[in-house]
């Protein structure tokens, strides 16, 4: 699992990943075994199995519990960075138990603001909290709120491949070289979704009036109707990659617009037929191709994850969201966390918009 976490396709892991992540894991028996557990869970989810019924994962989990007991006895109440590093993606209720333990460890260390905690590690904790909130449609658990303001960097030529409908500081995707081979229809969908996201953030940043709300609803309905009118493609292995990405983006946009126009969480508005089509299409695109447009891949998975009612699908998506976020974050944690934060703001608006 480790090579994919930093590379998406398992090729050419960056030096920063080996220096920060791998070096920390191999020095901690607890971290090593939690990584093995995450890998076991990933493989089970990839095969469509329920993680909590995977015999291998259960065996590793028992070993980890013993290691945790020994760690506590050996270190008393001293919480070192290697314990905080032991991040785990797996079955949902176990992940929440892990999050509660992580929150207590941070409390004992004086909070996430404690500057003695390694900066890279603090960034991973923040990202993990954003990811869990995005995937489960819940509020942030470790952090306080989303209200802190920060300027997101413009996308220069070296970061342009990370652009996606959630990264609003950038220009239209049609102006980015890395997206030009996607096809005009695909790029237009992505730019419509970026415009829709930007409109949500704009209405959140001001005191909403009946006029501004009506204008936004008209914009959202316009975007939805544009996507709904587009032709569909039946996905097969004989389709071109460009066609498969188009269909993936089209279906993702339908899910995105439906939640926004209906003012309901993604988990409540997803039509099973649309999600099934998305799931069957997106994985026909190779990881090597998604690696060339990781920001778009992240947006697709963030929309898909809370939209799924299948445990194995959600588990697989969560792990891939973590891997792609880490991949982007190794180049710019501001971009990775900025995209996650924007998706949380969209989810928050969807939940609260009917109260306006």
């Amino acid at each position: 699992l480790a090579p994919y976490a930093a590379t998406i396709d398992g090729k050419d892991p960056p030096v920063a990943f080996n220096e920060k992540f791998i070096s920390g894991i191999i020095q901690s028996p607890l971290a090593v075994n939690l990584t093995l557990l995450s890998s076991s869970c990933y493989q089970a989810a990839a095969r469509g199995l329920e993680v909590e019924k995977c015999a291998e994962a259960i065996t590793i989990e028992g070993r980890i519990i013993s290691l945790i007991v020994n760690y506590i006895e050996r270190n008393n109440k001293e919480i070192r960075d290697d314990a905080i590093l032991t991040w785990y993606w797996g079955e949902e209720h176990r992940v929440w138990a892990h999050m509660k333990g992580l929150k207590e460890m941070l409390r004992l260390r004086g909070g996430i603001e404690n500057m003695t905690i390694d900066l890279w590690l603090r960034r991973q904790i923040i990202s993990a909290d954003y990811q869990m909130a995005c995937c489960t449609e819940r509020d942030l658990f470790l952090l306080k709120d989303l209200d802190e303001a920060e300027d997101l960097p413009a996308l220069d030529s070296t970061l342009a491949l990370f652009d996606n409908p959630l990264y609003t500081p950038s220009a239209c995707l049609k102006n980015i070289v890395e997206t030009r081979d996607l096809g005009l229809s695909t790029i237009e969908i992505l730019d419509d979704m970026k415009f829709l996201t930007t409109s949500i953030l704009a209405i959140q940043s001001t005191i909403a009036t009946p006029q501004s709300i009506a204008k936004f609803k008209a914009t959202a309905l316009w975007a939805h109707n544009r996507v709904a009118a587009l032709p569909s493609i039946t996905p097969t292995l004989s389709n071109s990659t460009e066609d498969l990405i188009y269909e993936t983006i089209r279906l993702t946009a339908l899910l995105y617009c439906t939640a926004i126009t209906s003012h309901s969480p993604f988990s409540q508005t997803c039509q099973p037929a649309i999600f099934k089509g998305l799931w069957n299409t997106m994985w026909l695109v190779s990881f090597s191709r998604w690696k060339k447009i990781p920001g778009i891949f992240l947006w697709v998975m963030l929309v898909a994850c809370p939209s799924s009612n299948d445990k194995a699908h959600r588990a697989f998506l969560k792990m891939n969201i973590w891997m792609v976020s880490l991949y982007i974050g190794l180049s710019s944690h501001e971009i990775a966390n900025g995209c996650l934060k924007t998706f949380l703001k969209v989810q928050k608006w969807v939940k609260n918009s009917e109260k306006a």
Side-chain angles (χ1 to χ4, degrees):
L1 182 62
Y4 290 88
T7 66
I8 299 179
D9 63 352
K11 300 175 183 177
D12 304 319
V15 174
F17 178 74
N18 291 331
E19 289 179 347
K20 291 290 187 180
F21 194 78
I22 297 299
S23 63
I25 285 177
I26 61 177
Q27 296 176 43
S28 168
L30 186 57
V32 166
N33 278 275
L34 269 167
T35 303
L36 290 174
L37 178 58
S38 293
S39 298
S40 178
C41 293
Y42 182 85
Q43 291 172 350
R47 296 195 300 267
L49 303 176
E50 291 189 33
V51 173
E52 65 266 32
K53 296 181 181 179
C54 175
E56 180 184 68
I58 293 171
T59 300
I60 298 173
E61 188 175 39
R63 186 191 312 152
I64 289 171
I65 291 172
S66 177
L67 286 168
I68 290 173
V69 171
N70 291 334
Y71 180 94
I72 293 172
E73 291 176 349
R74 185 174 65 253
N75 295 287
N76 196 8
K77 290 187 177 181
E78 180 188 358
I79 304 298
R80 300 198 306 262
D81 282 358
D82 67 324
I84 298 174
L85 178 66
T86 53
W87 180 242
Y88 159 64
W89 280 112
E91 203 279 323
E92 191 166 298
H93 80 269
R94 289 184 172 87
V95 173
W96 279 112
H98 182 82
M99 290 287 281
K100 291 176 182 177
L102 178 57
K103 189 171 187 176
E104 176 62 13
M105 285 192 288
L106 291 172
R107 186 190 69 79
L108 292 172
R109 284 286 296 269
I112 196 170
E113 302 85 4
N114 185 349
M115 298 305 292
T116 65
I117 299 176
D118 180 77
L119 176 60
W120 185 85
L121 181 54
R122 277 190 281 134
R123 288 173 175 173
Q124 301 316 303
I125 294 168
I126 292 169
S127 181
D129 203 20
Y130 284 153
Q131 291 169 48
M132 280 299 294
C134 288
C135 292
T136 60
E137 296 182 309
R138 300 190 188 191
D139 293 332
L140 292 169
F141 183 71
L142 301 175
L143 305 174
K144 292 180 180 179
D145 206 349
L146 287 169
D147 56 4
E148 69 277 10
E150 59 183 54
D151 294 326
L152 295 175
L155 293 177
D156 60 29
S157 59
T158 62
L159 300 176
L161 74 164
F162 301 138
D163 201 6
N164 67 85
L166 299 173
Y167 201 75
T168 54
S170 63
C172 297
L173 278 86
K174 66 182 179 182
N175 298 327
I176 297 175
V177 173
E178 284 77 6
T179 64
R180 289 179 184 170
D181 61 347
L182 295 180
L184 180 59
S185 295
T186 302
I187 295 173
E188 287 180 344
I189 298 172
L190 291 165
D191 278 336
D192 284 349
M193 297 305 103
K194 184 189 282 280
F195 178 68
L196 184 57
T197 304
T198 303
S199 299
I200 289 177
L201 298 185
I203 203 171
Q204 283 181 321
S205 64
T206 60
I207 299 175
T209 64
Q211 292 78 14
S212 63
I213 292 173
K215 182 179 180 180
F216 172 78
K217 288 183 177 180
T219 299
L221 186 60
W222 166 82
H224 181 274
N225 291 341
R226 288 236 315 171
V227 176
L230 292 171
S232 62
I233 294 175
T234 302
T236 66
L237 289 172
S238 62
N239 289 122
S240 67
T241 299
E242 180 182 312
D243 284 346
L244 292 172
I245 292 176
Y246 160 81
E247 184 65 5
T248 297
I249 300 306
R250 186 187 73 84
L251 293 170
T252 304
L254 275 177
L255 295 176
Y256 196 60
C257 289
T258 299
I260 291 169
T261 55
S262 65
H263 312 286
S264 300
F266 290 87
S267 57
Q268 296 178 18
T269 59
C270 178
Q271 300 176 33
I274 294 178
F275 180 84
K276 182 179 180 182
L278 173 60
W279 183 264
N280 291 338
T281 305
M282 65 188 293
W283 302 120
L284 292 177
V285 180
S286 69
F287 278 103
S288 294
R289 182 63 184 92
W290 282 127
K291 183 178 181 177
K292 295 179 180 178
I293 46 173
I296 294 171
F297 189 31
L298 178 62
W299 172 70
V300 168
M301 294 192 293
L302 285 171
V303 173
C305 188
S307 299
S308 175
N309 58 10
D310 183 281
K311 284 185 178 181
H313 289 168
R314 287 200 306 272
F316 189 66
L317 286 164
K318 287 174 192 173
M319 294 178 204
N320 279 286
I321 286 169
W322 171 68
M323 290 191 288
V324 175
S325 297
L326 179 58
Y327 175 73
I328 297 173
L330 286 168
S331 295
S332 172
H333 73 275
E334 294 93 349
I335 293 175
N337 286 348
C339 292
L340 294 169
K341 182 184 289 188
T342 296
F343 190 68
L344 279 178
K345 289 181 177 180
V346 171
Q347 289 180 319
K348 186 175 181 178
W349 185 89
V350 164
K351 288 190 292 185
N352 297 335
S353 57
E354 278 295 85
K355 301 175 185 178

